[in-house]
Amino acid sequence: MEKRKLGNSDLFVYPITFGGNVFGWTIDEKQSFEILDGFTNAGFNFIDTADSYSHWAPGNKGGESETIIGNWMEQRKNRQQIIIATKVGSIPGAPKKSLAKDYILKSVDASLKRLKTDYIDLYQSHYDDPETPIEDTLKVYDQLIKSGKVRWIGASNFSAARLTESLETAKRLGLPLYQTFQPEYNLYERERYEKELEKVIVDNQLGVINYYALASGFLSGKYRSEADLNKSQRGEGIKKYLNDRGIKILNALDQVSEQYNANPASIALAWLIARPSVTAPIASVTTLTQLEDLIKAANLRLNTEDIAILDDASAWE
């Protein structure tokens, strides 16, 4: 595997980011430790989470994922080897998002405590907050970077216009620049990223750590009909992909998979890794067997013909 630079930061990561949304949701702490051990033992070093994960699970309030990661790093004594990304701005149980100064200052300290660390490698604005002036948010991040609590910042779920405005504001005022962006992007959901966001990202040399890289598991190929939807807790969210275009994508993944002796999930991730604007797609697994697909993907090099097959099957125009 080859390390990739996150934007213009000094963070170098391997080409898969582990998505920590499963911790405290679909897997408990013991299982999470096993997966994290397997992930890092395979050579990977980048974990993404958020202060709100996994508040949606019954009995949770948010922060469970960070807590599990913090406990794991403390037990393994490996903080220096791990690059941790977390997010702020999504208020569990509330429709409102906040990137206000007081909210960020309170949230970062809570995240640091749960993660059992004194710094966060990549601190991300989880959602845009139109009610808070961009410069106010960036000034808080500047304060956190200067204090050593945060090393670099990133953004997630912004529109292309707001991302551009944030970058221009930072440059104009000499404030920290977002170095990464986290959009939804996969073989099925291509249009918004490629049509609206990718040019901004390339022009500003941002690192991309895209979420839903496997379309909630649809691109693994295990959901072929509505009868398959009860295979996981994510099943209901996959129903929207079960249409002619979705099946066409799965058929293309099956075709390419045979050429590489790999599962469809590995091919779907390898397609993302091969896109020049993508740094390290986010994927999560709940078993060590599924982890093999991530390892395979990071070591695959799809040829131009196979990329074209997948491009054509998933074309959005």
Side-chain angles (χ1 to χ4, degrees), residues 260 271 274 301-312:
Y260 295 87
W271 177 84
R301 296 292 179 270
L302 299 182
N303 63 42
T304 53
E305 293 82 4
D306 292 324
I307 290 173
I309 289 170
L310 296 167
D311 284 349
D312 293 344

Side-chain angles (χ1 to χ4, degrees), residues 271-306:
W271 177 84
L272 286 167
I273 292 168
R275 192 163 189 95
S277 65
V278 172
T279 310
I282 299 170
S284 55
V285 300
T286 56
T287 68
L288 291 174
T289 301
Q290 293 171 352
L291 183 60
E292 293 299 318
D293 290 335
L294 273 58
I295 297 168
K296 183 97 174 179
N299 291 284
L300 273 179
R301 296 292 179 270
L302 299 182
N303 63 42
T304 53
E305 293 82 4
D306 292 324

